Amino acid sequence: MKKVNNIAVLTSGGDAPGMNAAIRAVVRTGIYHQLNVFGVMYGYKGMLTGEIFPMESKSVANIIQRGGTVLKTARCKEFYEPEGRKKAYENLKKFGIDGLVVIGGDGSFKGAQKFSQEFDIPCIGLPGTIDKDIAGTDFTIGFDTAVNTAVEAIDKIRDTADAHDRLFIIEVMGRDAGYIALHSGIATGAEHILIPEHKTNIDDVIDHLTANERRSKMVNLIVVAEGDEFGGADEVARHVKERMPQLDTRVTVLGHIQRGGSPTCLDRLVASRMGYAAVDALLNGTTNVMVGIVNNEIQFTPLDKAVKAKQQIDPEWLKIVKILAS
Ligand code: ATP
């Protein structure tokens, strides 16, 4: 087993709240084990441009509660090409870096997988994405914060919906995964939740809204995942307005507020535990895996299997939504 002495950490792809807590865990665990720890700015781009710097314990002071990422993040076209990865390797070698922790999504893991195979640098991935769409883990860093942000916003929308007897159609993030919509919709008592994992019959939605109108239930919330089959909240609103022009229907797209803000306790715990496990893995010679948490245990998944995956959504949840909104 090759001994690791100098490790680097970077954040790549889309940012997610809790990435700072993960960076902190990697740096402090590394220092605890007497490793030299380096930070790489702007993900793989920083590996190519050589924006690499030594980190100390105090480099990560006062960041556990901050959203975003102090190491910044970026997407990097050159890293897709062998020449780009070679340049990145040469820069890591200048600092003697022999282990890498990549906090990002499945694209970042694909890059890490190629890189480690070409240059024999062990890489460990940590799932950092608000979408919770990666195979091999029950949690991703940032999901819980994004959901809680959505819940807080939808609660506020409910107040104004109630004051004006309005139907609000609220679009949340998640790309082609419906977890943010499902969790935030259930937690805010939405009448309908439209997610890509489940086909929605718009006639059922209209029938339900009509029944609500008959019994003078005027506050209605519909939560739509941005990747739903209709193409987002505006399209859903168009269908509803066509069929029920008498309803006062409004659309709110929550957008990027779901990416920012102070990470929740759960995201800080998940990030801290995963960051700690990543360094442990490098020291134990475990390479080219993503750290996940499954059934409350740390589980490693080979980087090439830590792909974008739609986790199963139990149909029971949708039944619960229907019953509770009746
Ligand atoms: P998010 O889930 O937020 O989109 P991600 O990690 O999936 O995060 P990507 O843009 O797919 O985001 O990937 C981040 C970076 O990883 C890319 O800009 C590129 O530098 C590198 N990368 C992605 N896929 C590959 C690949 N197949 N080969 C080499 N590098 C890759």
mmCIF file of all heavy atoms in Angstrom, residues 271-307:
data_model
loop_
_atom_site.group_PDB
_atom_site.id
_atom_site.type_symbol
_atom_site.label_atom_id
_atom_site.label_comp_id
_atom_site.label_asym_id
_atom_site.label_seq_id
_atom_site.Cartn_x
_atom_site.Cartn_y
_atom_site.Cartn_z
ATOM 1 N N ALA A 271 -21.525 16.233 6.026
ATOM 2 C CA ALA A 271 -20.280 16.714 5.421
ATOM 3 C C ALA A 271 -19.080 16.398 6.321
ATOM 4 O O ALA A 271 -18.024 15.968 5.844
ATOM 5 C CB ALA A 271 -20.378 18.216 5.172
ATOM 6 N N SER A 272 -19.242 16.588 7.622
ATOM 7 C CA SER A 272 -18.132 16.344 8.562
ATOM 8 C C SER A 272 -17.772 14.862 8.572
ATOM 9 O O SER A 272 -16.601 14.485 8.522
ATOM 10 C CB SER A 272 -18.524 16.780 9.979
ATOM 11 O OG SER A 272 -18.834 18.154 9.987
ATOM 12 N N ARG A 273 -18.808 14.033 8.602
ATOM 13 C CA ARG A 273 -18.569 12.590 8.660
ATOM 14 C C ARG A 273 -17.930 12.093 7.361
ATOM 15 O O ARG A 273 -17.004 11.274 7.370
ATOM 16 C CB ARG A 273 -19.933 11.906 8.893
ATOM 17 C CG ARG A 273 -19.820 10.472 9.286
ATOM 18 C CD ARG A 273 -21.174 9.935 9.674
ATOM 19 N NE ARG A 273 -21.103 8.511 9.893
ATOM 20 C CZ ARG A 273 -22.161 7.713 9.914
ATOM 21 N NH1 ARG A 273 -23.368 8.209 9.766
ATOM 22 N NH2 ARG A 273 -22.015 6.416 10.115
ATOM 23 N N MET A 274 -18.426 12.608 6.252
ATOM 24 C CA MET A 274 -17.874 12.165 4.959
ATOM 25 C C MET A 274 -16.441 12.663 4.762
ATOM 26 O O MET A 274 -15.595 11.944 4.237
ATOM 27 C CB MET A 274 -18.753 12.667 3.812
ATOM 28 C CG MET A 274 -20.073 11.927 3.690
ATOM 29 S SD MET A 274 -21.029 12.600 2.298
ATOM 30 C CE MET A 274 -22.380 11.425 2.223
ATOM 31 N N GLY A 275 -16.176 13.909 5.171
ATOM 32 C CA GLY A 275 -14.824 14.465 5.017
ATOM 33 C C GLY A 275 -13.809 13.671 5.834
ATOM 34 O O GLY A 275 -12.711 13.352 5.372
ATOM 35 N N TYR A 276 -14.217 13.333 7.042
ATOM 36 C CA TYR A 276 -13.372 12.525 7.931
ATOM 37 C C TYR A 276 -13.109 11.154 7.283
ATOM 38 O O TYR A 276 -11.973 10.669 7.231
ATOM 39 C CB TYR A 276 -14.093 12.383 9.275
ATOM 40 C CG TYR A 276 -13.501 11.401 10.231
ATOM 41 C CD1 TYR A 276 -12.489 11.778 11.114
ATOM 42 C CD2 TYR A 276 -13.955 10.083 10.277
ATOM 43 C CE1 TYR A 276 -11.942 10.861 12.016
ATOM 44 C CE2 TYR A 276 -13.419 9.163 11.171
ATOM 45 C CZ TYR A 276 -12.417 9.557 12.026
ATOM 46 O OH TYR A 276 -11.881 8.658 12.908
ATOM 47 N N ALA A 277 -14.185 10.539 6.770
ATOM 48 C CA ALA A 277 -14.065 9.200 6.165
ATOM 49 C C ALA A 277 -13.195 9.231 4.915
ATOM 50 O O ALA A 277 -12.502 8.249 4.612
ATOM 51 C CB ALA A 277 -15.456 8.659 5.831
ATOM 52 N N ALA A 278 -13.219 10.350 4.183
ATOM 53 C CA ALA A 278 -12.420 10.443 2.953
ATOM 54 C C ALA A 278 -10.927 10.339 3.265
ATOM 55 O O ALA A 278 -10.172 9.631 2.589
ATOM 56 C CB ALA A 278 -12.721 11.761 2.239
ATOM 57 N N VAL A 279 -10.502 11.048 4.307
ATOM 58 C CA VAL A 279 -9.070 11.017 4.661
ATOM 59 C C VAL A 279 -8.697 9.634 5.201
ATOM 60 O O VAL A 279 -7.649 9.066 4.851
ATOM 61 C CB VAL A 279 -8.743 12.130 5.693
ATOM 62 C CG1 VAL A 279 -7.278 12.055 6.116
ATOM 63 C CG2 VAL A 279 -9.063 13.500 5.102
ATOM 64 N N ASP A 280 -9.581 9.091 5.996
ATOM 65 C CA ASP A 280 -9.380 7.734 6.519
ATOM 66 C C ASP A 280 -9.192 6.749 5.368
ATOM 67 O O ASP A 280 -8.305 5.896 5.410
ATOM 68 C CB ASP A 280 -10.659 7.347 7.273
ATOM 69 C CG ASP A 280 -10.359 6.855 8.656
ATOM 70 O OD1 ASP A 280 -9.354 7.324 9.234
ATOM 71 O OD2 ASP A 280 -11.122 5.998 9.141
ATOM 72 N N ALA A 281 -10.024 6.904 4.347
ATOM 73 C CA ALA A 281 -9.958 6.002 3.191
ATOM 74 C C ALA A 281 -8.608 6.130 2.492
ATOM 75 O O ALA A 281 -7.962 5.125 2.174
ATOM 76 C CB ALA A 281 -11.089 6.326 2.221
ATOM 77 N N LEU A 282 -8.141 7.378 2.285
ATOM 78 C CA LEU A 282 -6.849 7.574 1.622
ATOM 79 C C LEU A 282 -5.734 6.918 2.438
ATOM 80 O O LEU A 282 -4.835 6.281 1.885
ATOM 81 C CB LEU A 282 -6.555 9.067 1.445
ATOM 82 C CG LEU A 282 -7.295 9.780 0.313
ATOM 83 C CD1 LEU A 282 -7.033 11.280 0.362
ATOM 84 C CD2 LEU A 282 -6.890 9.210 -1.057
ATOM 85 N N LEU A 283 -5.801 7.062 3.768
ATOM 86 C CA LEU A 283 -4.762 6.486 4.628
ATOM 87 C C LEU A 283 -4.798 4.954 4.624
ATOM 88 O O LEU A 283 -3.775 4.302 4.772
ATOM 89 C CB LEU A 283 -4.934 6.993 6.060
ATOM 90 C CG LEU A 283 -4.574 8.467 6.267
ATOM 91 C CD1 LEU A 283 -5.071 8.956 7.618
ATOM 92 C CD2 LEU A 283 -3.073 8.676 6.133
ATOM 93 N N ASN A 284 -6.002 4.407 4.425
ATOM 94 C CA ASN A 284 -6.141 2.945 4.426
ATOM 95 C C ASN A 284 -5.939 2.329 3.051
ATOM 96 O O ASN A 284 -6.155 1.135 2.861
ATOM 97 C CB ASN A 284 -7.542 2.552 4.926
ATOM 98 C CG ASN A 284 -7.668 2.830 6.409
ATOM 99 O OD1 ASN A 284 -6.702 2.720 7.146
ATOM 100 N ND2 ASN A 284 -8.860 3.220 6.828
ATOM 101 N N GLY A 285 -5.575 3.150 2.083
ATOM 102 C CA GLY A 285 -5.313 2.624 0.740
ATOM 103 C C GLY A 285 -6.577 2.365 -0.069
ATOM 104 O O GLY A 285 -6.529 1.705 -1.105
ATOM 105 N N THR A 286 -7.720 2.868 0.393
ATOM 106 C CA THR A 286 -8.960 2.730 -0.391
ATOM 107 C C THR A 286 -8.951 3.841 -1.429
ATOM 108 O O THR A 286 -8.842 5.016 -1.067
ATOM 109 C CB THR A 286 -10.187 2.916 0.522
ATOM 110 O OG1 THR A 286 -10.013 2.100 1.661
ATOM 111 C CG2 THR A 286 -11.485 2.571 -0.180
ATOM 112 N N THR A 287 -9.044 3.484 -2.683
ATOM 113 C CA THR A 287 -8.935 4.543 -3.690
ATOM 114 C C THR A 287 -10.075 4.476 -4.704
ATOM 115 O O THR A 287 -10.714 3.442 -4.865
ATOM 116 C CB THR A 287 -7.602 4.451 -4.471
ATOM 117 O OG1 THR A 287 -7.609 3.214 -5.162
ATOM 118 C CG2 THR A 287 -6.414 4.550 -3.571
ATOM 119 N N ASN A 288 -10.267 5.596 -5.354
ATOM 120 C CA ASN A 288 -11.233 5.714 -6.450
ATOM 121 C C ASN A 288 -12.638 5.290 -6.057
ATOM 122 O O ASN A 288 -13.304 4.540 -6.768
ATOM 123 C CB ASN A 288 -10.754 4.926 -7.678
ATOM 124 C CG ASN A 288 -9.376 5.399 -8.073
ATOM 125 O OD1 ASN A 288 -8.956 6.488 -7.668
ATOM 126 N ND2 ASN A 288 -8.672 4.602 -8.828
ATOM 127 N N VAL A 289 -13.042 5.775 -4.907
ATOM 128 C CA VAL A 289 -14.404 5.512 -4.441
ATOM 129 C C VAL A 289 -15.063 6.821 -4.026
ATOM 130 O O VAL A 289 -14.383 7.816 -3.748
ATOM 131 C CB VAL A 289 -14.428 4.557 -3.211
ATOM 132 C CG1 VAL A 289 -13.952 3.166 -3.572
ATOM 133 C CG2 VAL A 289 -13.627 5.130 -2.042
ATOM 134 N N MET A 290 -16.373 6.783 -3.995
ATOM 135 C CA MET A 290 -17.124 7.881 -3.394
ATOM 136 C C MET A 290 -17.540 7.443 -2.000
ATOM 137 O O MET A 290 -17.928 6.293 -1.783
ATOM 138 C CB MET A 290 -18.386 8.164 -4.215
ATOM 139 C CG MET A 290 -19.233 9.283 -3.628
ATOM 140 S SD MET A 290 -20.917 9.292 -4.300
ATOM 141 C CE MET A 290 -21.685 7.978 -3.346
ATOM 142 N N VAL A 291 -17.441 8.375 -1.067
ATOM 143 C CA VAL A 291 -17.911 8.095 0.293
ATOM 144 C C VAL A 291 -19.417 8.363 0.325
ATOM 145 O O VAL A 291 -19.868 9.435 -0.070
ATOM 146 C CB VAL A 291 -17.230 9.035 1.314
ATOM 147 C CG1 VAL A 291 -17.790 8.796 2.712
ATOM 148 C CG2 VAL A 291 -15.722 8.862 1.292
ATOM 149 N N GLY A 292 -20.178 7.372 0.778
ATOM 150 C CA GLY A 292 -21.615 7.574 0.947
ATOM 151 C C GLY A 292 -22.034 7.188 2.350
ATOM 152 O O GLY A 292 -21.230 6.641 3.121
ATOM 153 N N ILE A 293 -23.259 7.498 2.681
ATOM 154 C CA ILE A 293 -23.827 7.011 3.943
ATOM 155 C C ILE A 293 -25.078 6.230 3.569
ATOM 156 O O ILE A 293 -25.993 6.769 2.934
ATOM 157 C CB ILE A 293 -24.170 8.168 4.908
ATOM 158 C CG1 ILE A 293 -22.906 8.948 5.280
ATOM 159 C CG2 ILE A 293 -24.866 7.634 6.171
ATOM 160 C CD1 ILE A 293 -23.144 10.176 6.151
ATOM 161 N N VAL A 294 -25.073 4.943 3.912
ATOM 162 C CA VAL A 294 -26.225 4.086 3.612
ATOM 163 C C VAL A 294 -26.639 3.393 4.904
ATOM 164 O O VAL A 294 -25.800 2.785 5.578
ATOM 165 C CB VAL A 294 -25.865 3.041 2.521
ATOM 166 C CG1 VAL A 294 -27.045 2.103 2.276
ATOM 167 C CG2 VAL A 294 -25.450 3.725 1.226
ATOM 168 N N ASN A 295 -27.898 3.514 5.245
ATOM 169 C CA ASN A 295 -28.400 2.964 6.518
ATOM 170 C C ASN A 295 -27.537 3.394 7.696
ATOM 171 O O ASN A 295 -27.178 2.596 8.555
ATOM 172 C CB ASN A 295 -28.499 1.440 6.460
ATOM 173 C CG ASN A 295 -29.525 0.993 5.454
ATOM 174 O OD1 ASN A 295 -30.498 1.716 5.201
ATOM 175 N ND2 ASN A 295 -29.306 -0.152 4.847
ATOM 176 N N ASN A 296 -27.152 4.631 7.673
ATOM 177 C CA ASN A 296 -26.344 5.249 8.735
ATOM 178 C C ASN A 296 -24.931 4.684 8.877
ATOM 179 O O ASN A 296 -24.274 4.876 9.897
ATOM 180 C CB ASN A 296 -27.095 5.206 10.075
ATOM 181 C CG ASN A 296 -26.613 6.301 10.997
ATOM 182 O OD1 ASN A 296 -26.097 7.328 10.524
ATOM 183 N ND2 ASN A 296 -26.729 6.101 12.301
ATOM 184 N N GLU A 297 -24.465 3.963 7.862
ATOM 185 C CA GLU A 297 -23.086 3.460 7.868
ATOM 186 C C GLU A 297 -22.345 4.101 6.694
ATOM 187 O O GLU A 297 -22.928 4.297 5.629
ATOM 188 C CB GLU A 297 -23.051 1.942 7.612
ATOM 189 C CG GLU A 297 -23.799 1.091 8.602
ATOM 190 C CD GLU A 297 -22.981 0.821 9.853
ATOM 191 O OE1 GLU A 297 -21.756 1.031 9.798
ATOM 192 O OE2 GLU A 297 -23.581 0.434 10.876
ATOM 193 N N ILE A 298 -21.047 4.344 6.904
ATOM 194 C CA ILE A 298 -20.226 4.802 5.775
ATOM 195 C C ILE A 298 -20.110 3.663 4.764
ATOM 196 O O ILE A 298 -19.853 2.518 5.135
ATOM 197 C CB ILE A 298 -18.819 5.231 6.254
ATOM 198 C CG1 ILE A 298 -18.887 6.521 7.062
ATOM 199 C CG2 ILE A 298 -17.840 5.376 5.079
ATOM 200 C CD1 ILE A 298 -19.236 7.782 6.264
ATOM 201 N N GLN A 299 -20.362 3.985 3.509
ATOM 202 C CA GLN A 299 -20.244 2.971 2.459
ATOM 203 C C GLN A 299 -19.457 3.555 1.289
ATOM 204 O O GLN A 299 -19.679 4.708 0.922
ATOM 205 C CB GLN A 299 -21.635 2.554 2.003
ATOM 206 C CG GLN A 299 -21.624 1.433 0.994
ATOM 207 C CD GLN A 299 -23.042 0.942 0.699
ATOM 208 O OE1 GLN A 299 -23.706 0.384 1.560
ATOM 209 N NE2 GLN A 299 -23.494 1.162 -0.513
ATOM 210 N N PHE A 300 -18.545 2.756 0.741
ATOM 211 C CA PHE A 300 -17.763 3.227 -0.407
ATOM 212 C C PHE A 300 -18.343 2.654 -1.700
ATOM 213 O O PHE A 300 -18.643 1.465 -1.759
ATOM 214 C CB PHE A 300 -16.300 2.806 -0.274
ATOM 215 C CG PHE A 300 -15.629 3.390 0.949
ATOM 216 C CD1 PHE A 300 -15.148 2.560 1.953
ATOM 217 C CD2 PHE A 300 -15.493 4.756 1.093
ATOM 218 C CE1 PHE A 300 -14.536 3.093 3.081
ATOM 219 C CE2 PHE A 300 -14.883 5.302 2.219
ATOM 220 C CZ PHE A 300 -14.410 4.464 3.215
ATOM 221 N N THR A 301 -18.465 3.503 -2.706
ATOM 222 C CA THR A 301 -18.934 3.063 -4.026
ATOM 223 C C THR A 301 -17.855 3.435 -5.036
ATOM 224 O O THR A 301 -17.394 4.580 -5.042
ATOM 225 C CB THR A 301 -20.247 3.809 -4.392
ATOM 226 O OG1 THR A 301 -21.218 3.503 -3.398
ATOM 227 C CG2 THR A 301 -20.767 3.409 -5.750
ATOM 228 N N PRO A 302 -17.417 2.476 -5.888
ATOM 229 C CA PRO A 302 -16.409 2.819 -6.901
ATOM 230 C C PRO A 302 -16.858 4.054 -7.682
ATOM 231 O O PRO A 302 -18.054 4.188 -7.994
ATOM 232 C CB PRO A 302 -16.377 1.581 -7.800
ATOM 233 C CG PRO A 302 -16.908 0.476 -6.953
ATOM 234 C CD PRO A 302 -17.864 1.090 -5.973
ATOM 235 N N LEU A 303 -15.921 4.928 -7.994
ATOM 236 C CA LEU A 303 -16.286 6.201 -8.642
ATOM 237 C C LEU A 303 -17.096 5.991 -9.930
ATOM 238 O O LEU A 303 -18.004 6.753 -10.228
ATOM 239 C CB LEU A 303 -15.028 7.020 -8.954
ATOM 240 C CG LEU A 303 -14.393 7.727 -7.752
ATOM 241 C CD1 LEU A 303 -13.107 8.429 -8.166
ATOM 242 C CD2 LEU A 303 -15.355 8.726 -7.108
ATOM 243 N N ASP A 304 -16.777 4.918 -10.679
ATOM 244 C CA ASP A 304 -17.518 4.725 -11.927
ATOM 245 C C ASP A 304 -18.946 4.224 -11.691
ATOM 246 O O ASP A 304 -19.758 4.204 -12.606
ATOM 247 C CB ASP A 304 -16.758 3.821 -12.900
ATOM 248 C CG ASP A 304 -16.465 2.462 -12.311
ATOM 249 O OD1 ASP A 304 -16.654 2.284 -11.096
ATOM 250 O OD2 ASP A 304 -16.050 1.567 -13.073
ATOM 251 N N LYS A 305 -19.257 3.836 -10.457
ATOM 252 C CA LYS A 305 -20.643 3.406 -10.152
ATOM 253 C C LYS A 305 -21.408 4.513 -9.410
ATOM 254 O O LYS A 305 -22.618 4.410 -9.199
ATOM 255 C CB LYS A 305 -20.626 2.149 -9.257
ATOM 256 C CG LYS A 305 -19.861 0.977 -9.822
ATOM 257 C CD LYS A 305 -20.832 -0.023 -10.401
ATOM 258 C CE LYS A 305 -20.276 -1.129 -11.239
ATOM 259 N NZ LYS A 305 -18.893 -1.238 -11.540
ATOM 260 N N ALA A 306 -20.671 5.546 -9.007
ATOM 261 C CA ALA A 306 -21.318 6.662 -8.281
ATOM 262 C C ALA A 306 -21.895 7.627 -9.297
ATOM 263 O O ALA A 306 -21.501 8.776 -9.392
ATOM 264 C CB ALA A 306 -20.313 7.354 -7.377
ATOM 265 N N VAL A 307 -22.798 7.113 -10.088
ATOM 266 C CA VAL A 307 -23.318 7.883 -11.215
ATOM 267 C C VAL A 307 -24.607 8.589 -10.834
ATOM 268 O O VAL A 307 -25.217 8.293 -9.808
ATOM 269 C CB VAL A 307 -23.573 6.966 -12.423
ATOM 270 C CG1 VAL A 307 -22.277 6.482 -13.016
ATOM 271 C CG2 VAL A 307 -24.451 5.787 -12.011
#
